[in-house]
């Protein structure tokens, strides 16, 4: 039912007070003549896990990039904890508490596993080297990452994916944007990852998750929004949304 | 190779035309000199922009290949007592072949590597060319005087040199030829496709490596031919190319990387600005700063635009 | 390090020159660690040289103090330039620096009242009255400070910042890192080092001129040294400076026209054949054998 309350994000702000961590208001992003996002509005509530789904090319990653500040929206507003951050550069958004992972993993090759994670702590939180090291070691333990002085080339796919999440967590975010972290993992690994995301959420971090694997979405999220051709076509609990004829139409020809 | 949208084009073209008219009335020599300079700069910058747009590499040795073409013509003119302009075809051919060799031996191996390696490699090539020229021909400037370069025309009370317009003609021919090549020929279309999306081009069966080789060679051939034209009116010395490379990049950056038509306009603006400063008595020495100021302005504007749009 | 004390004047002189290039090479490498290339080393070297010479001459500043002024002047120039041009990094920045040396030369030539114009300016006497031993100690001190800064850049949070920026700007930004701030900071520090080295060079020879001071040697040799020794470390540029620096003087005598050809060839060949440089190659071998 919450989904209905949040139809108008500007209203949400007044009504729900501190409930919404992140509010997206009529976001548009064009690349040349191509509209990757068209008038997308929604809100993310504190402590929820929100799923963002949609067929390939629906604009999911563009959405994350705009929220993260990689590039500005063509029009529209982004509010974080009630504050307008539309004009804020990426590094300041991170320091406010927005962290993300990348769909195609982006480890920093010149740094080892632990050092990669420390980057978030050092610059996202402004920690000292010593603090960053101990905090990152703690996160590694939490994530089940061992032998932390290995080079990136020596890591498995799962470990690199975990490293991405660990680097995001080390900035101590209020909200974590996960861009297809399950892609390329086997069943057991996916299981492990789902548990990790649950634990992250239990620590009070709000999570937005883009995912193609629908079983993950079903299991993790309370609510999803569906994008198609840059437009939000549905939102609500997964079970409800998956029966929506528009959503089924959008996915026609895709695997689910 | 997209140009500006039509409305934006008028926003630039109309004030520019007005400015030229006012300037021509006030200081006609500066305008004639400026247009001639613009032609030269555009003729030099176009081949560099071609490589930048299609191969995606900044060729920091661009001006030095031009210098090589000029020296070839000088050598030819001195040995045969002939007109250096006759050397245009041999110089273009020679540099075309040199381009193929240089591409195979060097450039090919840094395609896909970091921008840093590409810049360092072409910088190294530039130094090798400059220093080889110094060894072969010493650092003394050389020049060739022919009668036709001092032809002049008189309109009313205004007498001016007409030979400089050969650069304007060269730039226009070059632009028309490159546009025709890229849009109308199979090879040129393949080149455009490779420039926009090398992976996609490879998938549809384009031999991207061969396209790059030919584009690189064409660019060098043009640089060589323009070098011969350059010699007919300017002194040539081993280090002459460095400044020309920089100016070419300024024009390419100002026009938007890969936009050939924009180079014509931008060289007109900077050519006029430069000639205006250099024909003034007190500030002539500062004319060399014009392009530098322009590139800094371009960087500021572009970084601002990236943050806003 | 103290060996030149017992050696002849010629060796002392050579050692001083090697140290000069060592500082330039190391400072160039420090900027490369952020992923930015500067072709403007000779420009900042020249600014430092001119600032030192002119303040020493006109304000009667103590030579050592004027060297500090040279460093500050180069740093100020780098700040102005960095704050504008480092907004767009990569090739835009690199090519802007390519023109720098020439730009500074034009400025110096066009202000004859201040700089002596094309003929340059002569100082009444060289620093330490031309004592080669003291000059050697001065350059050694500057080199040690440069090495210390380079090591600091490898061991503090600066290392994490510049390595992230070099490898992946998007990750750096998304992790809360202010790329622009770090790029400008490193550019200012490395330019200050180049300015100080240029200033001590001017004080050493008691002469500055547009051609001699803004000499392309001061850009070209450091780059070739770093590439040969291996980039992104303190050791690589030092090895490169020792190797190339000791043959540089000999080459200059043997090949007065075109000795720079060797450095151009070194740059080209190293990029093509051995991008990690000598030190990098040795490290690779070492890792493989373990």
């Amino acid at each position: 039912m919450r989904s209905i309350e949040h139809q108008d994000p500007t209203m949400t702000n007044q009504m729900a007070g501190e409930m919404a961590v992140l509010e997206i208001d009529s976001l548009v992003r064009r690349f040349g003549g191509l509209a990757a996002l068209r008038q997308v509005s929604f809100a993310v509530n504190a402590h929820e896990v929100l799923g963002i789904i949609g067929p390939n090319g629906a604009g999911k990653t563009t959405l994350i990039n705009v929220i993260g500040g990689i590039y500005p929206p063509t029009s529209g507003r982004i509010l974080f904890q009630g504050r307008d951050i539309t004009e804020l550069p990426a590094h300041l958004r991170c320091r406010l508490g927005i962290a993300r992972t990348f769909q195609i993993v982006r480890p920093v090759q010149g740094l080892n596993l632990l050092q990669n994670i420390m980057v978030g702590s050092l610059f996202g939180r402004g920690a000292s080297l010593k603090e960053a090291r101990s905090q990152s070691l703690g996160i590694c333990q939490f994530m089940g990452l061992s032998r932390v002085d290995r080079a990136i080339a020596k890591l498995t796919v799962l470990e690199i994916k975990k490293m991405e999440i660990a680097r995001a967590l080390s900035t101590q975010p209020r909200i974590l944007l996960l861009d297809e972290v399950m892609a390329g993992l086997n069943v057991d690994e996916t299981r492990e990852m789902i548990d990790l995301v649950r634990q992250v959420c239990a620590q009070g971090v709000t999570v937005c998750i883009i995912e193609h694997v629908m079983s993950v979405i079903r299991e993790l999220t309370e609510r999803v929004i569906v994008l198609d051709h840059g437009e939000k076509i549905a939102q609500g609990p997964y079970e409800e949304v998956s029966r929506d004829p528009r959503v089924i139409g959008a996915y026609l020809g895709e695997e689910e | 190779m997209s140009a500006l949208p039509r409305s934006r084009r008028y926003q630039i073209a109309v004030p520019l035309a007005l400015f030229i008219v006012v300037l021509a009335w006030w200081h006609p020599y500066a305008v004639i000199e400026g247009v001639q300079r613009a032609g030269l700069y555009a003729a030099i910058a176009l081949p560099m922009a071609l490589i930048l747009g299609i191969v995606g590499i900044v060729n920091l040795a661009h001006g030095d290949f031009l210098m090589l073409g000029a020296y070839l013509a000088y050598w030819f003119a001195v040995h045969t007592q002939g007109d250096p302009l006759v050397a245009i075809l041999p110089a273009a051919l020679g540099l075309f072949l040199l381009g193929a060799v240089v591409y195979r031996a060097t450039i090919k191996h840094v395609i896909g590597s970091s921008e840093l390696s590409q810049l360092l490699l072409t910088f190294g090539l530039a130094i090798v060319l400059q220093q080889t020229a110094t060894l072969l021909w010493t650092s003394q400037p050389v020049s060739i005087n022919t009668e036709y370069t001092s032809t002049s025309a008189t309109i009313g009370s205004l007498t001016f040199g007409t030979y400089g317009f050969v650069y304007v003609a060269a730039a226009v021919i070059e632009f028309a030829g490159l546009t025709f090549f890229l849009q109308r020929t199979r090879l040129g279309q393949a080149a455009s496709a490779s420039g926009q999306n090398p992976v996609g081009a490879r998938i549809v069966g384009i031999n991207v490596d061969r396209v790059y080789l030919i584009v690189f060679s064409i660019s060098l051939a043009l640089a060589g031919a323009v070098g011969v034209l350059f010699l007919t009116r300017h002194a040539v010395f081993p280090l002459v190319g460095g400044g020309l490379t920089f100016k070419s990049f300024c024009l390419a950056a100002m026009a938007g990387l890969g936009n050939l038509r924009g180079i014509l306009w931008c060289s007109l603006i900077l050519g006029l600005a430069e000639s205006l400063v250099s024909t003034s008595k007190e500030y002539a020495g500062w004319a060399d700063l014009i392009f530098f100021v322009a590139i800094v302005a371009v960087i500021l504007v572009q970084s601002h635009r990236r943050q806003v749009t | 390090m103290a060996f030149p004390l017992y050696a002849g004047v010629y060796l002392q002189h050579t050692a001083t020159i090697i140290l000069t290039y060592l500082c330039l090479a190391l400072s160039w490498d420090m900027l490369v660690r952020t992923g930015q290339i500067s072709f403007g080393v000779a420009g900042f070297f020249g600014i430092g040289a001119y600032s030192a010479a002119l303040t020493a001459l006109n304000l009667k500043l103590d030579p050592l103090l004027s060297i500090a002024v040279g460093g500050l002047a180069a740093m100020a120039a780098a700040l102005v330039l960095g704050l504008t041009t480092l907004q767009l990094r990569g090739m835009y920045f690199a090519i802007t620096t390519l023109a720098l040396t020439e730009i500074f030369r034009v400025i110096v030539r066009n202000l004859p009242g201040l700089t002596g114009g094309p003929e340059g300016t002569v100082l009444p006497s060289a620093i330490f009255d031309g004592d080669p031993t003291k000059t050697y100690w001065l350059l050694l001190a500057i080199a040690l400070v440069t090495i210390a800064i380079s090591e600091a850049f490898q061991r503090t949070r600066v290392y994490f910042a510049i390595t992230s920026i070099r490898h992946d700007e998007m990750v750096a930004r998304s992790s809360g890192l202010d790329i622009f701030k770090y790029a400008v900071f490193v550019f200012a520090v490395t330019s200050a080092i180049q300015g100080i080295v240029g200033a001590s060079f001017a004080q050493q020879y008691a002469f500055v001129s547009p051609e001699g001071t803004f000499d392309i040697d001061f850009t070209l040799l450091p780059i070739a040294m770093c590439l040969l020794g291996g980039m992104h470390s303190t050791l690589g540029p030092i090895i490169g400076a020792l190797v190339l620096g000791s043959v540089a003087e000999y080459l200059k005598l043997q090949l007065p026209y075109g000795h720079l050809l060797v450095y151009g060839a070194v740059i080209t060949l190293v990029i093509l054949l051995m991008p990690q440089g000598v030190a990098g190659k040795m490290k690779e071998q070492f890792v493989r054998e373990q």
Side-chain angles (χ1 to χ4, degrees):
Chain A
M1 281 299 100
R2 248 190 293 178
S3 58
I4 296 165
E5 287 172 22
H6 290 288
Q7 290 294 358
D8 181 357
T10 44
M11 240 169 69
T12 318
N13 196 20
Q14 291 146 13
M15 285 165 50
E18 291 188 341
M19 280 283 282
V21 175
L22 185 72
E23 293 163 72
I24 305 299
D25 182 10
S26 342
L27 215 56
V28 176
R29 171 69 207 192
R30 268 190 266 277
F31 291 103
L34 222 73
L37 294 175
R38 315 169 192 222
Q39 300 288 337
V40 175
S41 298
F42 65 92
V44 189
N45 302 314
H47 309 306
E48 79 168 328
V49 180
L50 175 76
I52 299 172
I53 61 172
N56 283 321
K60 304 182 297 283
T61 295
T62 307
L63 181 63
I64 296 253
N65 281 339
V66 173
I67 296 173
I70 295 302
Y71 31 70
T74 309
S75 67
R77 286 197 313 159
I78 307 165
L79 300 175
F80 180 67
Q81 297 180 315
R83 177 181 167 186
D84 190 333
I85 59 162
T86 319
E87 303 279 313
L88 221 56
H91 66 273
L92 294 182
R93 294 186 196 200
C94 169
R95 289 182 201 170
L96 278 183
I98 302 177
R100 64 168 297 182
T101 66
F102 294 90
Q103 182 181 7
I104 298 159
V105 290
R106 302 179 85 117
V108 175
Q109 293 292 346
L111 301 175
N112 68 28
L113 174 55
L114 181 67
Q115 289 172 329
N116 258 282
I117 298 168
M118 284 169 69
V119 169
S121 185
L122 283 169
F123 303 106
R125 277 185 58 218
S128 70
L129 270 181
K130 214 171 149 192
E131 284 167 358
R133 171 171 282 274
S134 67
Q135 190 208 356
S136 302
L137 279 171
I139 293 172
C140 282
Q141 204 164 25
F142 165 71
M143 300 288 301
L145 287 166
S146 55
R147 287 183 291 141
V148 294
D149 53 358
R150 276 176 297 165
I152 295 301
K154 301 268 165 70
L155 302 180
T156 65
V157 177
L158 177 67
E159 284 173 321
I160 293 183
K161 296 237 163 192
K162 282 183 175 178
M163 184 279 286
E164 287 251 325
I165 298 178
R167 183 171 59 201
L169 285 178
S170 74
T171 66
Q172 287 194 334
R174 300 295 300 265
I175 186 166
L176 178 62
L177 312 170
L178 298 174
D179 195 350
E180 295 205 21
V181 281
M182 313 286 176
L185 300 185
N186 67 30
V187 181
D188 292 340
E189 291 168 343
T190 307
R191 191 69 264 143
E192 196 184 334
M193 216 48 146
I194 289 175
D195 289 340
L196 273 173
V197 175
R198 281 231 174 89
Q199 287 175 50
V200 168
C201 196
Q203 290 179 359
V205 180
T206 307
V207 178
C208 263
I209 181 165
I210 292 183
E211 201 44 75
H212 262 301
V213 187
M214 287 307 154
S215 57
V216 173
I217 291 289
R218 192 184 301 134
E219 206 169 324
L220 266 177
T221 66
E222 295 140 48
R223 207 160 64 90
V224 298
I225 63 166
V226 189
L227 291 180
D228 185 34
H229 293 296
E231 241 173 312
K232 187 179 84 174
I233 56 168
Q235 71 174 349
Y238 174 75
E239 303 300 338
E240 226 169 80
V241 161
S242 60
R243 285 192 296 271
D244 187 322
R246 281 191 75 184
V247 176
I248 295 167
Y251 269 97
L252 223 60
E254 295 255 330
E255 65 283 330
E256 267 212 26
Chain B
M1 305 257 153
S2 71
L4 289 169
R6 203 160 280 273
S7 57
R8 284 282 312 279
R9 238 184 275 170
Y10 287 124
Q11 278 174 21
I12 295 172
V14 172
L16 183 65
L18 272 173
F19 175 69
I20 295 174
V21 169
V22 172
L23 194 64
W25 184 68
W26 177 59
H27 205 328
Y29 285 110
V31 170
I32 292 165
E33 166 70 15
V35 170
Q36 294 179 348
R37 268 178 200 239
L40 178 64
Y41 291 149
I44 296 173
L46 280 168
M48 188 196 200
L50 181 73
I51 297 187
L52 197 52
I54 289 170
V55 188
I57 280 186
V58 185
N59 182 11
L60 292 181
H62 179 70
D64 305 296
F65 284 112
L66 180 141
M67 174 272 297
L68 214 56
Y71 267 109
L72 279 177
Y74 175 75
W75 180 81
F76 174 84
V78 167
H79 279 263
T80 63
Q81 301 293 312
D83 188 320
L85 284 180
V86 178
I88 283 194
L89 275 181
L93 189 68
L95 272 135
F96 186 91
L97 296 175
L98 180 66
V101 173
V102 168
Y103 177 83
R104 271 278 144 80
T106 64
I107 305 291
K108 181 183 157 92
H109 306 285
V110 294
I111 286 186
S113 334
S114 68
E115 201 173 61
L116 195 122
S117 320
Q118 296 172 350
L119 286 165
L120 284 172
L121 175 73
T122 57
F123 176 73
L125 286 176
I127 299 294
V128 168
L129 289 173
Q130 288 168 12
Q131 297 306 323
T132 309
T134 311
L135 275 182
L136 290 176
W137 302 298
T138 77
S139 55
Q140 287 304 311
V142 298
S143 54
I144 296 275
N145 284 315
T146 47
E147 276 169 28
Y148 51 78
T149 51
S150 51
T151 49
S152 62
T154 306
I155 301 173
S157 60
L158 193 68
T159 303
F160 55 90
T162 47
Y163 180 74
F165 287 109
V166 81
Y167 297 121
V168 180
V172 171
I173 293 170
E174 223 179 284
F175 172 71
L178 285 177
T179 310
F180 180 82
F181 167 69
L182 291 173
Q183 290 174 358
R184 297 293 158 81
T185 65
R186 272 189 74 84
L187 182 65
Q189 285 165 348
S192 301
S194 311
Q196 277 157 18
N197 184 351
V199 179
R202 218 163 265 139
I203 289 169
V204 298
I206 295 172
N207 186 342
V208 174
D209 182 51
R210 201 177 65 109
V211 167
Y212 283 174
L213 175 114
I214 293 172
V215 166
F216 191 81
S217 300
I218 289 177
S219 169
L220 256 56
L222 290 173
V226 176
V228 178
L229 284 178
F230 184 81
L231 172 74
T232 55
R233 214 176 163 219
H234 302 262
V236 170
F237 48 97
L239 299 184
V240 76
L244 298 175
T245 304
F246 174 70
K247 287 180 174 177
S248 300
F249 180 82
C250 289
L251 290 171
M254 196 171 163
L257 301 184
N259 176 0
L260 296 185
R261 187 191 298 273
I263 286 185
L264 297 183
W265 293 112
C266 294
S267 50
L268 191 58
I269 296 170
L270 293 188
L272 284 171
E274 211 186 63
S275 90
L276 195 62
V277 175
S278 66
T279 49
S280 77
K281 282 197 188 68
E282 309 96 275
Y283 303 109
W286 297 100
D288 287 333
L289 294 189
I290 294 279
F291 276 77
F292 188 75
V293 172
I295 188 83
V296 172
V298 165
I299 289 175
L300 286 176
V301 169
Q302 287 204 5
S303 61
H304 178 71
R305 198 179 289 161
R306 270 185 209 185
Q307 277 158 18
V308 173
T309 54
Chain C
M1 269 188 301
F3 81 93
L5 284 182
Y6 312 104
V9 173
Y10 177 75
L11 255 183
Q12 266 180 2
H13 175 72
T14 309
T16 308
I17 289 179
I18 292 178
L19 287 173
T20 302
Y21 281 118
L22 189 148
C23 296
L24 294 179
L26 209 46
S27 66
W28 184 80
D29 186 73
M30 285 183 230
L31 186 65
V32 166
R33 292 176 210 162
T34 68
Q36 309 306 313
I37 307 185
S38 166
F39 294 116
V41 179
F44 294 107
F45 179 94
I47 288 190
Y50 262 92
S51 307
L54 295 179
T55 49
L57 192 68
N58 299 327
L59 305 177
K60 306 278 177 273
L61 225 54
D62 178 76
L64 283 176
L65 203 59
S66 80
I67 289 176
V69 170
L72 286 177
M75 183 154 87
L79 275 177
V80 171
L81 200 79
L83 286 172
T84 48
T85 56
L86 276 168
Q87 299 270 2
L88 286 192
R89 291 166 290 275
M91 63 170 138
Y92 288 89
F93 174 75
I95 290 167
T96 310
T97 62
L98 190 66
L100 261 191
T101 309
E102 184 58 31
I103 294 300
F104 291 146
R105 203 185 277 155
V106 167
I107 294 174
V108 163
R109 251 194 240 119
N110 280 293
L111 296 171
L114 183 66
T115 62
E119 282 80 40
T121 294
V122 182
L123 293 179
S125 78
I127 194 168
F128 309 129
D129 295 319
D131 180 343
T133 313
K134 283 184 180 163
T135 317
Y136 168 77
W137 284 115
L138 173 68
L139 259 298
L140 184 63
I142 296 173
L144 288 177
V145 172
T146 307
I147 291 172
I149 295 174
S150 168
E151 274 303 291
F153 277 17
Q154 293 294 84
R155 288 161 199 273
T156 59
R157 59 196 294 119
V158 177
Y159 174 71
F160 290 80
I162 58 184
T163 310
S164 313
I165 296 172
R166 179 171 85 243
H167 284 280
D168 198 325
E169 290 202 358
M170 216 209 269
V171 165
R173 289 164 66 198
S174 299
S175 305
L177 206 159
D178 189 343
I179 296 180
F180 183 60
K181 190 183 90 181
Y182 271 96
V184 172
F185 167 70
V186 176
F187 186 45
V189 170
T190 55
S191 302
I193 294 172
Q194 290 154 14
I196 286 174
V197 174
S200 48
F201 191 81
Q203 284 291 356
Q204 200 180 324
Y205 289 88
F207 175 61
V208 283
S209 74
E211 310 308 321
T213 306
F214 293 98
D215 194 329
I216 189 172
D217 282 34
F218 300 120
T219 296
L220 194 52
L221 261 79
I223 297 180
M225 288 166 174
C226 285
L227 283 175
L228 192 69
M231 294 185 286
H232 312 145
S233 68
T234 305
L235 192 62
I238 294 179
I239 292 177
L242 292 178
V243 173
L244 266 193
S246 39
V247 295
E249 286 299 288
Y250 176 75
L251 273 175
K252 213 169 188 168
L253 289 175
Q254 294 298 311
L255 283 171
Y257 295 99
H259 64 281
L260 298 175
L261 178 61
V262 177
Y263 309 122
V266 165
I267 293 173
T268 311
L269 291 175
V270 169
I271 287 287
L272 288 175
L273 305 176
M274 206 171 54
Q276 69 280 63
V278 171
K281 192 99 184 166
M282 277 167 18
K283 198 169 154 195
E284 202 175 71
Q285 287 284 331
F286 182 72
V287 171
R288 203 173 292 155
E289 278 162 22
Q290 280 210 321

